[in-house]
Amino acid sequence: MRNKVDVAIIGSGEAGIYAAYELSRLRPELKVLVLEKGRDIYSRSCPIVAGKVKACIQCGVCDTMCGFGGAGAFSDGKFNFTTAFGGWLTDFMDAGEVMDLIGYVDEINVGHGATTEVYSTETPAAKALSRKALEFDLHLLQARCKHLGTENNLRILQNIYEGMKGRVEFRFQTGVEKIERLGEKGYRLITEKGDEVDCDWLIAGPGRSGAEWFANECKGLGIELINNQVDIGVRVELPATVFEHITDVVYESKLVYRTKQYGDQVRTFCMNPYGHVVAENVEGINTVNGHSYADPKLQSQNTNFALLVSNRFTSPFNEPYRYGKHIASLSNMLAGGVLVQRFGDLVNGIRTNEHRLSQSFTRPTLTAAVPGDLSLALPKRQLDDIIEMICQLDKLAPGTANYDTLLYGAEVKFYSSRLSLSGELETALPQFFAIGDGAGVTRGLAQAGASGVKVARVISRRLEERK
């Protein structure tokens, strides 16, 4: 079957959702189609979270990563108002425009049920925390942050979906297999079901799970790719009281440290007070993540966060996504899934086993994780960086380097090779745009949504200019 639309959007993650939302608002006469390989927001359900299985069963399409809302749907909904982190949109437009776009996305969220409460690094308590961190060469990045909560994040997405489904066509469980160019400005999408969709305008927001596929499609279309960074690390879990004096002040603290041994940059990422560690499936590779609920009844006694080492590569290396998957696959090979080790065991060169883990004062919230030895999975340099960072954090938050602090691995943030894009996020091919995390231009809810709005406005303006 073949049909024609005005605008086709690949992916209904954060970027694709807001692109479709803004297009339907500005240009209701357009026929907009969103193609998504996952399920709708009501049908997504991970068997592990649902309590049906204890470990990943390698679903054909991972409900945690794919579907309406993308990988962010089951996150704890941290929305950061900043250009200091969360993506690279300032490479394409000025910071003021990026912040305006982020603010607009937040207005949409608030209109669909998001909280108005904001944590800030500008409060007296946060400034005092920042000064204290500097005593230990830890740098607190400045930002305002909202915590939507995992359950509230899902509710907001449901409300947005309900408002859009009558104005935008969604085809779920319909992955795109091939992108073809039609003449000078048109495109044809061939789905995994064999259907064909022709469009005048194409917006690709493939998300993290589709990043490798998208990079390969771009190569086939002759679009230039630029190496992006690969972030490799672990997820740390410890008693919530250890970081309480920090999370009560700024909630999502982004602390950056440059190691003395190698001069590498290590950062905290995705901090989840009273949260849960969760597993993700990225194209058959099990990685680890975290989330936290707003409802106290659903919270744990632990806080978790990632420690990531940023790695940048130069030519001839050009496959950052594949490299990250290879690192993650090593822990899968050793543990059959996510691996967990006590910090003290790691430092002492001892493999954590079931018996040692059972003696830990810190109880794992991801019970499916298998005890093992991270030193057999992660590169030595990154592991040395992580150990040094934990010891440094212990000075700001005593107890971080406790023997029973748990480390889950691997946590790998997959960023595709970045495309060479214009200031309007357009590829070298006319009327073909790339947005969101999977295109290598963002890495978080706020900037992903902002990138979608930006492209929708560009298309609307160009259509107006043609009149």
Side-chain angles (χ1 to χ4, degrees):
M1 182 181 73
R2 179 184 299 170
N3 67 316
K4 174 73 165 58
V5 298
D6 296 305
V7 184
I9 300 174
I10 300 173
S12 65
E14 194 82 358
I17 288 171
Y18 289 95
Y21 179 96
E22 189 70 351
L23 276 171
S24 67
R25 183 185 75 84
L26 295 173
R27 296 287 171 180
E29 75 279 8
L30 293 180
K31 187 173 183 180
V32 179
L33 170 65
V34 181
L35 296 166
E36 168 59 55
K37 68 179 178 180
R39 304 173 192 271
D40 66 54
I41 190 62
Y42 299 108
S43 304
R44 296 178 65 179
S45 176
C46 174
I48 298 176
V49 177
K52 297 178 181 179
V53 296
K54 288 188 176 182
C56 180
I57 56 174
Q58 301 292 325
C59 299
V61 176
C62 177
D63 270 345
T64 301
M65 298 295 293
C66 303
F68 189 90
F74 292 103
S75 72
D76 69 327
K78 281 187 285 290
F79 193 92
N80 291 295
F81 299 81
T82 182
T83 59
F85 51 85
W88 301 272
L89 287 185
T90 50
D91 289 356
F92 307 98
M93 62 198 86
D94 64 58
E97 182 179 4
V98 175
M99 291 303 296
D100 287 344
L101 290 167
I102 290 173
Y104 176 71
V105 173
D106 178 59
E107 289 176 12
I108 296 172
N109 288 340
V110 171
H112 290 84
T115 181
T116 56
E117 182 183 6
V118 178
Y119 294 87
S120 174
T121 52
E122 292 300 314
T123 64
K127 289 180 178 179
L129 174 64
S130 181
R131 287 193 297 271
K132 186 66 176 176
L134 283 173
E135 292 181 21
F136 310 114
D137 203 13
L138 292 164
H139 302 262
L140 179 66
L141 298 183
Q142 303 301 298
R144 292 163 56 237
C145 175
K146 280 188 176 182
H147 173 228
L148 304 179
T150 302
E151 74 279 34
N152 293 332
N153 194 38
L154 287 170
R155 177 172 52 81
I156 293 163
L157 288 169
Q158 290 169 356
N159 292 340
I160 291 174
Y161 176 61
E162 287 298 321
M164 289 175 61
K165 67 181 183 180
R167 298 180 286 132
V168 174
E169 181 185 356
F170 289 91
R171 291 187 198 170
F172 295 105
Q173 295 180 277
T174 306
V176 175
E177 190 172 82
K178 186 74 175 173
I179 302 173
E180 295 180 349
R181 189 176 182 187
L182 297 177
E184 288 300 312
K185 294 183 179 179
Y187 299 91
R188 175 170 294 160
L189 305 179
I190 302 173
T191 74
E192 293 172 345
K193 298 177 180 179
D195 296 332
E196 297 178 354
V197 176
D198 292 351
C199 60
D200 297 322
W201 304 84
L202 176 59
I203 303 173
R208 287 194 283 133
S209 63
E212 188 173 28
W213 165 82
F214 185 56
N216 288 332
E217 287 299 297
C218 288
K219 290 176 185 177
L221 291 165
I223 298 174
E224 181 185 359
L225 299 175
I226 304 168
N227 273 345
N228 210 349
Q229 70 186 53
V230 183
D231 292 346
I232 296 172
V234 299
R235 182 151 292 263
V236 179
E237 185 170 42
L238 37 64
T241 52
V242 174
F243 265 77
E244 224 166 26
H245 64 296
I246 296 174
T247 55
D248 284 354
V249 173
V250 293
Y251 191 82
E252 164 77 321
S253 57
K254 300 278 191 180
L255 292 160
V256 180
Y257 173 70
R258 189 170 301 281
T259 63
K260 302 300 182 289
Q261 185 173 2
Y262 299 111
D264 295 335
Q265 189 177 100
V266 190
R267 61 189 172 94
T268 63
F269 178 81
C270 187
M271 190 166 291
N272 298 288
Y274 313 101
H276 297 78
V277 177
V278 295
E280 290 183 339
N281 185 326
V282 182
E283 297 179 338
I285 303 296
N286 289 319
T287 60
V288 65
N289 211 327
H291 65 213
S292 59
Y293 296 96
D295 186 347
K297 295 192 294 292
L298 300 174
Q299 295 174 349
S300 77
Q301 298 301 307
N302 295 343
T303 285
N304 69 76
F305 56 90
L307 286 182
L308 299 176
V309 183
S310 295
N311 303 269
R312 292 191 178 276
F313 299 95
T314 57
S315 181
F317 179 87
N318 62 359
E319 296 186 276
Y321 192 93
R322 185 180 173 190
Y323 176 77
K325 283 184 66 174
H326 175 71
I327 296 299
S329 70
L330 292 177
S331 64
N332 287 191
M333 184 187 300
L334 292 166
V338 175
L339 190 154
V340 62
Q341 185 172 22
R342 295 190 299 176
F343 179 67
D345 289 341
L346 174 65
V347 172
N348 290 328
I350 301 171
R351 175 182 176 274
T352 299
N353 55 26
E354 292 282 1
H355 174 69
R356 294 189 180 99
L357 187 61
S358 69
Q359 295 178 320
S360 176
F361 286 109
T362 304
R363 309 306 302 164
T365 54
L366 180 59
T367 56
V370 177
D373 188 350
L374 285 166
S375 69
L376 298 177
L378 293 178
K380 179 180 184 300
R381 178 166 176 158
Q382 280 78 12
L383 208 54
D384 287 346
D385 286 336
I386 288 166
I387 291 171
E388 185 177 334
M389 175 62 156
I390 289 175
C391 292
Q392 203 69 14
L393 285 172
D394 191 70
K395 300 172 184 177
L396 180 66
T400 304
N402 281 357
Y403 198 106
D404 289 340
T405 290
L406 301 179
L407 307 180
Y408 298 83
E411 176 138 355
V412 180
K413 296 306 176 190
F414 301 103
Y415 307 118
S416 67
S417 295
R418 284 178 62 179
L419 280 68
S420 179
L421 300 174
S422 73
E424 295 181 329
L425 303 182
E426 188 174 21
T427 71
L429 301 182
Q431 300 182 183
F432 179 6
F433 301 84
I435 57 177
D437 288 20
V441 296
T442 68
R443 60 179 186 191
L445 298 180
Q447 288 201 35
S451 70
V453 172
K454 169 69 176 181
V455 166
R457 291 179 178 178
V458 169
I459 293 173
S460 178
R461 190 198 73 240
R462 290 193 192 174
L463 289 172
E464 184 66 27
E465 290 171 351
R466 292 179 181 179
K467 289 184 178 180

